[in-house]
């Protein structure tokens, strides 16, 4: 654990040396939901591979970067390129960037993801504010010795998604005329999509959407005392009794077409924060 702690410190110190001011808000955008890079002013960026101990993207064509700049008057640090358990990263590796953000001063984290809709009222292209989650990944970023200065051994999960930020998001969406569902997100390991029986199970246990990211990052953030806001872009809707194949191409295409709406909403929410 001493090693991990020192690695986080070293990575944060490296990034900190390249910045004039401390970032206050972290952003992690999901598959196809980029577009934040163009929106950021005065960006400085750090290729993941140049940051000491930072996990490196497995896909050569996707060189991950940390972007730092201003958005809606707030100092932002954003991950362009995220790590998933199904790629073979450990939960602890996925936690690493969040720990680094916290070390740099981040107190608030905004996340998005592409998700399969389970609630029959949802349509592809809709947005869902995550009000709670169910961690079904079988992994946990807090396994192993606890770093007490980072957070408690047994962190509370009463309100992982900040009620304050949820209210802000709902109010902002309403003012902007954007439909924003609210619901529970089930985090699964992937990489395969769900069977019809698994979809029925997920619905039965109270999930409204399912995806392969976010829960590991959110558990880390909550442990670290970071306030969290997360929104899913519903890329497909899975109804077990008339189950249709969801093609990955369609999922990515829907995420890409939903991206601008989500980035717009995030910008407005950031203004209100
Ligand atoms: N299942 C899991 N993850 C997903 C889905 C899905 O249907 N759509 C987008 N991410």
């Amino acid at each position: 654990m001493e090693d991990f702690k020192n690695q986080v410190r070293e990575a944060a110190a490296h990034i900190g040396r390249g910045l004039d001011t401390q970032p206050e808000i972290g952003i992690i955008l999901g598959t196809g939901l980029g577009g934040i890079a163009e929106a950021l002013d005065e960006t400085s960026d750090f290729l993941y591979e140049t940051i000491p101990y930072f996990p490196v993207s497995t896909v050569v064509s996707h060189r991950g970067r940390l972007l730092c700049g201003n958005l809606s008057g707030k100092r932002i640090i954003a991950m362009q390129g995220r790590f998933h358990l199904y790629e073979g990263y450990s939960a602890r590796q996925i936690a690493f960037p969040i720990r680094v953000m916290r070390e740099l001063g981040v107190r608030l984290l905004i996340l998005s993801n592409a998700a399969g809709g389970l609630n029959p009222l949802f349509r592809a292209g809709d947005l869902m504010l995550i009000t709670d989650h169910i961690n079904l990944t079988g992994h946990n970023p807090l396994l192993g010795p606890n770093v007490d200065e980072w957070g408690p051994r047994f962190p509370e999960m009463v309100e992982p998604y900040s009620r304050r930020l949820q209210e802000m998001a709902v109010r902002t969406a309403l003012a902007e005329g954007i439909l924003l569902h609210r619901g529970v997100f089930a985090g699964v390991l992937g990489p395969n999509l769900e069977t019809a029986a698994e979809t029925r199970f997920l619905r039965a246990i109270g999930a409204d959407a399912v995806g392969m990211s976010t829960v590991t990052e959110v558990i880390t953030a909550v442990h670290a005392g970071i306030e969290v806001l997360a929104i899913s872009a519903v890329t497909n809707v899975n109804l077990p009794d008339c189950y249709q194949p969801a093609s990955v191409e369609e999922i990515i295409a829907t995420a890409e077409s939903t991206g601008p709406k989500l980035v717009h909403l995030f910008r407005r929410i950031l203004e209100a924060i």
Side-chain angles (χ1 to χ4, degrees):
M1 255 352 248
E2 273 306 307
D3 277 357
F4 190 66
K5 228 165 72 181
N6 290 333
Q7 289 171 1
V8 166
R9 288 215 181 105
E10 224 177 290
H14 174 85
I15 296 161
R17 281 193 289 274
L19 299 178
D20 299 333
T21 52
Q22 277 200 329
E24 46 185 343
I25 297 176
I27 297 186
I28 306 178
L29 294 183
T31 310
L33 298 168
I36 208 86
E38 300 86 74
L40 278 181
D41 300 329
E42 298 168 37
T43 329
S44 42
D45 62 350
F46 305 84
L47 283 172
Y48 291 164
E49 66 216 50
T50 66
I51 306 169
Y53 307 109
F54 216 80
V56 174
S57 177
T58 49
V59 191
V60 183
S61 59
H62 287 89
R63 295 178 85 197
R65 292 186 303 161
L66 266 185
L67 306 169
C68 299
N70 293 314
L71 187 62
S72 304
K74 303 294 187 304
R75 295 189 305 280
I76 302 296
I77 183 163
M79 287 180 74
Q80 193 174 56
R82 147 193 257 175
F83 305 105
H84 302 88
L85 291 165
Y86 66 75
E87 294 174 89
Y89 296 104
S90 66
R92 186 180 293 219
Q93 282 177 298
I94 293 171
F96 191 88
I98 317 289
R99 297 294 184 198
V100 171
M101 285 184 186
R102 179 68 195 83
E103 191 78 13
L104 285 167
V106 165
R107 290 297 178 112
L108 197 157
L109 182 64
I110 296 179
L111 306 103
S112 71
N113 60 40
L118 301 165
N119 186 320
L121 297 176
F122 293 0
R123 296 286 170 268
D126 286 354
L127 299 178
M128 184 192 88
L129 175 70
I130 302 181
T131 57
D132 205 347
H133 76 220
I134 305 172
N135 177 15
L136 295 173
T137 63
H139 290 253
N140 195 300
L142 309 181
L143 284 187
N146 186 56
V147 180
D148 293 334
E149 61 200 91
W150 282 352
R153 170 75 291 187
F154 302 107
E156 279 279 8
M157 284 288 155
V158 174
E159 193 190 313
Y161 300 86
S162 156
R163 199 92 31 102
R164 177 181 88 93
L165 297 178
Q166 284 186 50
E167 280 168 16
M168 230 173 239
V170 167
R171 236 179 289 128
T172 306
L174 199 60
E176 294 295 315
I178 295 171
L179 174 64
L180 182 63
H181 300 292
R182 305 171 79 249
V184 173
F185 177 81
V188 295
L189 187 58
N192 61 285
L193 299 173
E194 295 67 43
T195 65
E198 286 165 346
T199 296
R200 191 176 290 108
F201 165 77
L202 292 170
R203 188 72 190 127
I205 63 170
D208 295 287
V210 55
M212 305 173 195
S213 66
T214 306
V215 293
T216 308
E217 293 142 348
V218 170
I219 290 169
T220 310
V222 170
H223 178 256
I226 297 173
E227 212 180 355
V228 172
L229 172 74
I231 295 180
S232 289
V234 177
T235 54
N236 52 293
V237 180
N238 302 328
L239 304 174
D241 297 313
C242 52
Y243 206 41
Q244 302 292 323
S247 87
V248 172
E249 291 74 28
E250 270 174 47
I251 289 176
I252 292 172
T254 307
E256 280 172 355
S257 61
T258 312
K261 179 167 64 171
L262 190 61
V263 170
H264 175 76
L265 182 59
F266 278 158
R267 290 179 81 145
R268 288 280 182 266
I269 294 170
L270 280 168
E271 282 165 16
I273 286 173

